[in-house]
Amino acid sequence: MAVLQMRVFPDPILRRRARKVTQFDAKLARLAADMAETMTAHRGVGLAANQVGVLQRMCLVRMEDWEEALVLVNPEVIRREGLREVEEGCLSLPGYRGMVNRAERIRVRYQDLQGKQQRLKADCMLAQAIEHETDHLNGILYLDHLIAHDQLFRIHVNEDGEVEYIPTGEPDAAELEAAARRMNNPPQVPQFDPSHGRPATPAADDATAAD
Ligand code: CO
């Protein structure tokens, strides 16, 4: 197994629609294993193939207490119920988090690595992760679901280990590149944990981001 290179925004592959998987072979299983290792290395909860430069409709999710990742091939969210505001991050946008709308419950149809059709009902963080990762396969990022333009934050872990949220607009390429260079060790904040210390109302004088 190998850790694959993570594609980072604004890499155009993140905006492309992945193609349907038709070959359920050893090569696909190998890609899934490499993606699982890559996700573990980045302490992620989910990973889509686009993010490692492969335009195939496959993604992985793994909740904290799971031993193995769940591999979803050709996943399709076939039902969404309810709406909730949650905090979200993405391995392809290191150092950023945003507030987005996600469903409370979903049903997803997918194939496993053998090509067998499967169905799953999910709620809470699992539903959020599956929505996020299936979005990736359609070229959609959580930036597209922000509840408001100013609900994107740059995160910074201060000297006391506290997570600080710095309001920003949509990150531009130069800023993200600089952030990626700074962050050989990006702040360790769970990808989908809504319980972090984001200020309920960001300080007004910090909100300087331009349109
Ligand atoms: Co992501």
Side-chain angles (χ1 to χ4, degrees):
M1 290 201 290
V3 173
L4 306 170
Q5 201 204 325
M6 187 71 61
R7 300 298 188 94
V8 174
F9 183 89
D11 189 318
I13 202 163
L14 297 171
R15 287 307 197 177
R16 289 187 58 193
R17 187 179 160 85
R19 289 180 287 270
K20 188 174 177 182
V21 172
T22 53
Q23 302 268 75
F24 293 85
D25 53 12
K27 202 175 158 198
L28 188 72
R30 168 74 193 264
L31 174 62
D34 288 348
M35 284 174 62
E37 185 147 325
T38 305
M39 188 166 74
T40 300
H42 287 84
R43 300 173 69 172
V45 173
L47 184 69
N50 304 45
Q51 293 179 277
V52 293
V54 179
L55 283 173
Q56 293 215 58
R57 301 187 78 78
M58 178 161 75
C59 62
L60 277 69
V61 291
R62 186 173 61 211
M63 298 294 103
E64 231 173 350
D65 54 344
W66 293 5
E67 271 184 28
E68 286 196 5
L70 173 67
V71 179
L72 300 101
V73 182
N74 300 323
E76 231 183 305
V77 177
I78 51 174
R79 189 164 178 169
R80 291 181 164 86
E81 286 175 346
L83 203 63
R84 61 199 182 110
E85 278 181 18
V86 285
E87 188 185 315
E88 201 157 302
C90 178
L91 298 179
S92 292
L93 286 135
Y96 286 86
R97 299 176 69 79
M99 294 302 292
V100 297
N101 279 319
R102 291 288 182 199
E104 283 177 346
R105 291 170 298 281
I106 62 164
R107 274 184 212 203
V108 61
R109 187 165 58 194
Y110 64 98
Q111 286 167 277
D112 61 24
L113 280 173
Q114 284 71 45
K116 193 171 172 227
Q117 289 287 347
Q118 305 281 358
R119 277 169 189 257
L120 178 71
K121 283 184 196 173
D123 61 8
C124 302
M125 199 190 291
L126 179 59
Q128 183 183 2
I130 290 173
E131 279 199 293
H132 178 109
E133 302 311 330
T134 54
D135 270 355
H136 270 302
L137 302 177
N138 293 321
I140 296 168
L141 300 171
Y142 79 80
L143 297 176
D144 306 325
H145 296 300
L146 293 176
I147 59 172
H149 179 77
D150 63 359
Q151 291 299 295
L152 181 69
F153 302 89
R154 193 149 56 78
I155 54 173
H156 173 71
V157 178
N158 70 20
E159 288 163 5
D160 301 326
E162 291 159 348
V163 180
E164 293 172 347
Y165 287 68
I166 301 152
T168 179
E170 179 150 353
D172 62 36
E175 181 174 6
L176 277 163
E177 271 167 37
R181 272 200 303 276
R182 274 199 306 276
M183 282 193 296
N184 290 324
N185 294 302
Q188 295 297 340
V189 179
Q191 198 177 356
F192 295 118
D193 186 346
S195 65
H196 268 277
R198 185 186 66 89
T201 312
D205 53 354
D206 282 338
T208 53
D211 295 324

